[in-house]
Amino acid sequence: VPGSEAEMQNAPDYGEDSYKGSGRLEGKKAVITGGDSGIGRAVALAFAREGADVAISYLDEEEEDAQETRRVVEESGRKCLLIPGDISAETQCQKIVEKTIDEFGQIDILVNNAAFQMSHEGIQDLPSEEIEHTFRTNIFAMFYLCKAALKEMKEGGAIINTTSIQAYQPSKNLLAYAATKGAIANFTKALNEETIEKGIRVNAVAPGPVWTPLIVSTFPEEKIETFGQDSPMKRPAQPAELAPAYVFLASDEASYVSGEILAVTGGKPTA
């Protein structure tokens, strides 16, 4: 932990050969946490091909993956600002916003996507410090980033949070992670009550099983081999299959969509 997409034998499809943009985010400036790999990289690529410049945050040890994201964003004709650091610290979240404003002059879209998880047999095996770290990374950081970004965002802006099927169908081996994802769903709806008055929409995406470095770095080998096979589609999603949901929620096509959670679960029910 953290996993490396560059080291995965079965590399995820993040849309490099398939995603085609149509100018839906032309001129926009976006911040994407966890943008180095997985869903974050797929979203960064899609945003760039839709016309947005992107700033991505990631941990220092994920530099190789982050450079790959920058490559595909820049090859799409857009700027990519790399901001390494740990978002569990409020000062780092403030730094992300400050650096983005310095580089791009504005923030139109904030994608709170970064997350930490570890798999454990039960609550007795869950270290207290790991519980705190999971909450600091997955939900505290959203408070910190939204507080900082909303000072800069204008009417027409969009915040998109990544929750999970785990918010609705939690697994006992992902107790801390699942609890944060439930909190994110609640946070999304509550924050929307405030920001909608300012013309800023807050929504979330709830992925089902997705093939990312987070999976191979945190699950036991036997679970990795069957990952996603319990979904109605009998497979995990590829990150490229999640990106269009984020594009939709960031674009003017979703101008009347706010306070919602868009499930992309391969048929798994969220209610």
Side-chain angles (χ1 to χ4, degrees), residues 28-59:
K28 303 286 189 181
K29 315 297 180 183
V31 172
I32 304 168
T33 66
D36 59 291
S37 63
I39 294 172
R41 179 188 289 174
V43 173
L45 171 65
F47 278 15
R49 291 188 178 175
E50 294 291 352
D53 293 325
V54 297
I56 64 168
S57 79
Y58 56 97
L59 293 171

Side-chain angles (χ1 to χ4, degrees), residues 108-181:
D108 304 292
I109 306 160
L110 170 61
V111 178
N112 288 305
N113 170 72
F116 174 87
Q117 75 171 31
M118 286 297 293
S119 178
H120 294 279
E121 284 300 313
I123 193 169
Q124 301 300 337
D125 302 311
L126 190 55
S128 297
E129 60 271 20
E130 185 180 303
I131 298 171
E132 181 175 348
H133 179 67
T134 305
F135 272 79
R136 285 197 171 278
T137 302
N138 297 7
I139 184 65
F140 284 19
M142 290 196 184
F143 279 87
Y144 303 151
L145 281 159
C146 287
K147 281 184 68 176
L150 282 168
K151 294 176 182 178
E152 307 292 343
M153 296 180 77
K154 304 292 193 294
E155 183 176 356
I159 295 173
I160 308 167
N161 303 321
T162 301
T163 178
S164 170
I165 187 67
Q166 287 290 323
Y168 306 94
Q169 296 185 19
S171 302
K172 66 176 183 178
N173 62 306
L174 293 174
L175 182 59
Y177 175 83
T180 65
K181 292 301 179 174

Side-chain angles (χ1 to χ4, degrees), residues 6-259:
E7 296 178 4
M8 290 177 69
Q9 294 180 348
N10 186 6
D13 175 12
Y14 59 89
E16 182 178 13
D17 298 325
S18 59
Y19 193 93
K20 301 186 186 305
S22 56
R24 286 183 284 179
L25 302 178
E26 197 67 42
K28 303 286 189 181
K29 315 297 180 183
V31 172
I32 304 168
T33 66
D36 59 291
S37 63
I39 294 172
R41 179 188 289 174
V43 173
L45 171 65
F47 278 15
R49 291 188 178 175
E50 294 291 352
D53 293 325
V54 297
I56 64 168
S57 79
Y58 56 97
L59 293 171
D60 292 335
E61 52 266 50
E62 298 170 325
E63 184 67 30
E64 183 179 1
D65 280 349
Q67 291 293 342
E68 174 67 7
T69 300
R70 178 160 72 174
R71 178 188 70 80
V72 295
V73 166
E74 291 180 345
E75 287 181 359
S76 300
R78 307 309 307 178
K79 295 179 182 178
C80 185
L81 175 63
L82 302 185
I83 311 176
D86 187 349
I87 62 170
S88 67
E90 184 171 11
T91 52
Q92 176 63 19
C93 294
Q94 293 167 340
K95 178 181 175 182
I96 290 168
V97 171
E98 291 166 2
K99 283 184 169 291
T100 302
I101 292 297
D102 288 345
E103 181 70 19
F104 295 153
Q106 66 193 67
I107 296 176
D108 304 292
I109 306 160
L110 170 61
V111 178
N112 288 305
N113 170 72
F116 174 87
Q117 75 171 31
M118 286 297 293
S119 178
H120 294 279
E121 284 300 313
I123 193 169
Q124 301 300 337
D125 302 311
L126 190 55
S128 297
E129 60 271 20
E130 185 180 303
I131 298 171
E132 181 175 348
H133 179 67
T134 305
F135 272 79
R136 285 197 171 278
T137 302
N138 297 7
I139 184 65
F140 284 19
M142 290 196 184
F143 279 87
Y144 303 151
L145 281 159
C146 287
K147 281 184 68 176
L150 282 168
K151 294 176 182 178
E152 307 292 343
M153 296 180 77
K154 304 292 193 294
E155 183 176 356
I159 295 173
I160 308 167
N161 303 321
T162 301
T163 178
S164 170
I165 187 67
Q166 287 290 323
Y168 306 94
Q169 296 185 19
S171 302
K172 66 176 183 178
N173 62 306
L174 293 174
L175 182 59
Y177 175 83
T180 65
K181 292 301 179 174
I184 291 167
N186 188 284
F187 173 80
T188 298
K189 292 181 176 293
L191 183 61
N192 174 70
E193 293 291 321
E194 174 186 346
T195 63
I196 198 168
E197 297 176 0
K198 304 173 184 177
I200 297 171
R201 297 177 297 105
V202 182
N203 293 289
V205 177
V210 186
W211 185 242
T212 71
L214 190 67
I215 302 306
V216 296
S217 66
T218 61
F219 277 11
E221 186 172 347
E222 63 272 15
K223 287 189 175 293
I224 295 172
E225 293 174 355
T226 60
F227 179 67
Q229 292 181 10
D230 60 344
S231 75
M233 289 191 178
K234 308 299 183 186
R235 65 170 180 85
Q238 291 294 330
E241 295 177 290
L242 272 294
Y246 291 83
V247 170
F248 168 67
L249 292 174
S251 73
D252 291 341
E253 293 172 3
S255 59
Y256 203 62
V257 180
S258 199

